[in-house]
Amino acid sequence: MSKKLITLFFAISLLLFGFSLQRFILTYKFSTTEVVKNINYLSSDVFKGRLAGTLNNEAASVYIKSQFEKADIKPLFKTYYENFNVTYPEKIEGSPHLSVLDKNGIIIKNFEYNKDFKEDTLSFKQNHLSFSKVSSTAVGNDFLKIKSGNNICVLYAPADNKLSFRSSFDESSKLALIVVVKKDVLKTIKEYLEKDDSIDCFIPYKESNANIHNVVGYIKGRDQTLPPVIISAHFDHMGNDLSGNIYSGALDNASGTSFIIEMAKYINSLGTPDRNIIFAGFNAEEFGFKGSSTFAKDYSPKLKGSKVFNFDMIGGRSSIPLSIMGSKNDNKNTPLVKEISNICTSSDISYSYIFQNSSDHTPFRNLGIDAVTFCDDDTSRIHTTSDKSAFIDKTSIQKCYTVASKEILTSAFTKNPLVLYDKLILIFSGIGTGVCIIYIISLKFTKKKLN
Ligand SMILES: [Zn+2]
């Protein structure tokens, strides 16, 4: 090889090695420990279950905003907040009761809250219900359907006979009040009704309005004409019950929220992306994707050609495969779903598909925008008080990072091989530099010997 060629090879190797080493040192290393720290905090009693509409939910949004600021993510709008109105279940004065009254209106039995009965948080169009045998419009094995004025209310016993599951709230529910009862309680109530006694029930909640917000920031890309990449997670959860038991929502979805905060720190250390990367903490997902629907609608003119990567329940049991969730009209050949499954295969990470409209990818898919939710489909503790951070598995967070970061970088750093192939370039330029140094030393050594 000519001396010139060797010098050129050495110069290129050294330059590339220098660049990629500097990049490697400056790149923030995604840390599952940091993710877990944030999960611990967001699911702690400080935020009391982050129910949209409450001050605890507001406090969570303030915290997420502070984390975006710390990661040097700029506000997408004038502020980080995108405001919208929601109807939410608000606690009111009073104690819950479910009582049996005799023909004279005297209470002959009181059932115990949280042991015998509990609210189902689906709907509170009505919070007081009195009924007798005649007002029960339908009687099933495990339910009683009651006509109350123009409303329909329901008492039901869940299949697992537990009161622990807390439903998402749905302002459009056709039912006015739903009360969960134990199987034996339902049986007892039916017996009393047969004897012409009546039932009186009060659940101290009402439906109220509140102005809440999504928390949205972004990293500015080189080309403002390109559609942005969106990285999102909902931060709201189901609050706490009338005895103060907190639904911490560690997996659902302190985990996804903490994951995108860490992603923001990592991606922001990589330099300027080709296009804008938006980080969105969505609110009121548990009320039917209210926050993501607001964002998708308000921002839709700019979203044509965008890709949305949503994270909901990241850090479930490691034995569970990573789920790629598309909408109910998607399938495994939907382009974005396919791209991600290919990455799973090449990274040797087991995965499964879910095609459901059950997270914040839904409003985007409804507008024809590419969107998926990464999810650990670990439903064992979901919407119960045992969804605690102690059960979060770091291995699953790392798996999700491996897959998601590859797809996100490919989408947002298309023109930057130093980011896309950082490790390969570092290794090969390192080897090249090493070879050149050895070659130069050996040349000097032979020269000395000849002299
Ligand atoms: Zn969720």
Side-chain angles (χ1 to χ4, degrees):
M1 234 196 290
S2 77
K3 215 173 172 183
K4 261 187 187 167
L5 218 67
I6 291 166
T7 317
L8 186 71
F9 179 68
F10 184 45
I12 292 172
S13 295
L14 195 64
L15 209 67
L16 274 178
F17 185 61
F19 260 133
S20 45
L21 187 66
Q22 186 202 27
R23 180 167 283 283
F24 179 77
I25 293 165
L26 293 181
T27 298
Y28 175 85
K29 310 288 176 296
F30 182 96
S31 156
T32 54
T33 307
E34 284 299 309
V35 177
V36 170
K37 253 193 221 167
N38 264 328
I39 296 175
N40 286 341
Y41 187 54
L42 278 168
S43 63
S44 70
D45 292 356
V46 172
F47 299 105
K48 293 194 170 65
R50 314 180 299 279
L51 184 79
T54 64
L55 289 175
N56 310 303
N57 175 275
E58 172 68 26
S61 66
V62 170
Y63 178 70
I64 295 157
K65 172 181 168 276
S66 76
Q67 291 297 299
F68 280 0
E69 281 167 339
K70 230 172 152 183
D72 204 19
I73 301 296
K74 306 291 175 219
L76 182 64
F77 311 105
K78 278 188 188 129
T79 73
Y80 289 93
Y81 295 152
E82 181 190 21
N83 298 318
F84 61 99
N85 290 317
V86 281
T87 305
Y88 77 103
E90 185 188 12
K91 280 184 192 175
I92 54 172
E93 282 296 307
S95 310
H97 72 247
L98 177 64
S99 316
V100 185
L101 281 70
D102 69 10
K103 275 158 231 128
N104 301 318
I106 310 286
I107 295 173
I108 50 172
K109 185 170 180 61
N110 272 318
F111 292 103
E112 203 178 314
Y113 178 75
N114 240 336
K115 182 175 162 276
D116 299 323
F117 76 100
K118 190 165 182 165
E119 71 280 9
D120 181 309
T121 28
L122 185 80
S123 173
F124 295 104
K125 287 180 185 60
Q126 185 172 331
N127 51 28
H128 182 229
L129 171 68
S130 287
F131 65 98
S132 57
K133 196 179 161 187
V134 279
S135 41
S136 317
T137 51
V139 181
N141 243 349
D142 47 8
F143 71 90
L144 271 176
K145 205 167 164 189
I146 303 123
K147 203 160 163 20
S148 171
N150 290 326
N151 287 340
I152 300 288
C153 303
V154 166
L155 258 75
Y156 79 96
D160 62 3
N161 204 27
K162 284 180 183 160
L163 307 177
S164 49
F165 184 80
R166 200 157 179 84
S167 303
S168 293
F169 171 75
D170 179 6
E171 63 169 323
S172 64
S173 171
K174 296 222 163 37
L175 300 173
L177 178 69
I178 306 110
V179 181
V180 200
V181 293
K182 287 280 187 67
K183 282 179 181 165
D184 58 326
V185 173
L186 190 69
K187 192 170 159 255
T188 310
I189 286 176
K190 283 177 185 170
E191 284 163 7
Y192 278 114
L193 289 174
E194 279 307 312
K195 287 192 272 177
D196 287 331
D197 293 319
S198 64
I199 305 296
D200 193 82
C201 178
F202 173 63
I203 304 282
Y205 272 98
K206 67 171 184 182
E207 296 192 358
S208 296
N209 288 309
N211 190 258
I212 61 166
H213 30 251
N214 293 325
V215 187
V216 196
Y218 82 119
I219 301 173
K220 195 171 181 181
R222 242 177 224 114
D223 188 344
Q224 295 301 304
T225 63
L226 293 174
V229 161
I230 293 149
I231 298 173
S232 65
H234 77 88
F235 64 86
D236 64 302
H237 193 58
M238 289 313 299
N240 51 84
D241 67 18
L242 295 164
S243 313
N245 296 310
I246 296 170
Y247 289 73
S248 308
L251 185 60
D252 184 15
N253 190 29
S255 68
T257 308
S258 306
F259 186 90
I260 71 162
I261 289 170
E262 193 64 8
M263 277 301 245
K265 288 189 237 166
Y266 163 64
I267 294 174
N268 214 5
S269 74
L270 297 173
T272 311
D274 307 334
R275 59 190 71 225
N276 288 352
I277 304 178
I278 294 172
F279 292 86
F282 289 136
N283 207 343
E285 187 265 1
E286 302 287 4
F287 297 176
F289 327 127
K290 297 291 184 203
S292 52
S293 299
T294 302
F295 178 84
K297 208 170 103 232
D298 289 356
Y299 212 66
S300 63
K302 292 186 175 165
L303 296 180
K304 201 167 176 279
S306 277
K307 283 181 183 176
V308 181
F309 302 98
N310 185 54
F311 298 86
D312 197 348
M313 295 164 59
I314 302 302
R317 273 173 294 151
S318 59
S319 54
I320 290 173
L322 175 67
S323 286
I324 308 165
M325 193 195 291
S327 76
K328 64 178 183 193
N329 297 323
D330 290 331
N331 58 57
K332 55 185 181 183
N333 291 318
T334 304
L336 190 56
V337 172
K338 196 162 188 178
E339 279 170 32
I340 295 165
S341 67
N342 286 342
I343 292 176
C344 290
T345 308
S346 64
S347 312
D348 202 20
I349 285 171
S350 63
Y351 64 97
S352 62
Y353 301 106
I354 303 176
F355 297 109
Q356 277 174 12
N357 290 353
S358 51
S359 190
D360 285 318
H361 58 283
T362 310
F364 297 99
R365 290 306 289 135
N366 289 344
L367 292 170
I369 297 156
D370 283 347
V372 291
T373 291
F374 289 86
C375 169
D376 287 330
D377 192 23
D378 183 351
T379 52
S380 50
R381 298 180 182 85
I382 222 65
H383 285 219
T384 72
T385 49
S386 37
D387 179 8
K388 300 277 185 213
S389 59
F391 300 107
I392 294 291
D393 193 325
K394 273 188 190 176
T395 329
S396 302
I397 300 173
Q398 186 65 39
K399 270 197 296 193
C400 183
Y401 164 72
T402 303
V403 179
S405 62
K406 273 186 194 160
E407 177 62 26
I408 291 168
L409 296 197
T410 311
S411 305
F413 289 87
T414 326
K415 292 174 194 151
N416 196 337
L418 274 178
V419 170
L420 289 183
Y421 308 106
D422 56 346
K423 283 199 187 84
L424 278 181
I425 294 173
L426 181 67
I427 291 167
F428 283 109
S429 60
I431 293 171
T433 309
V435 168
C436 288
I437 290 170
I438 291 167
Y439 180 74
I440 291 163
I441 291 171
S442 70
L443 262 187
K444 283 209 169 147
F445 194 67
T446 8
K447 253 188 197 169
K448 231 184 184 178
K449 240 186 174 181
L450 285 174
N451 287 343

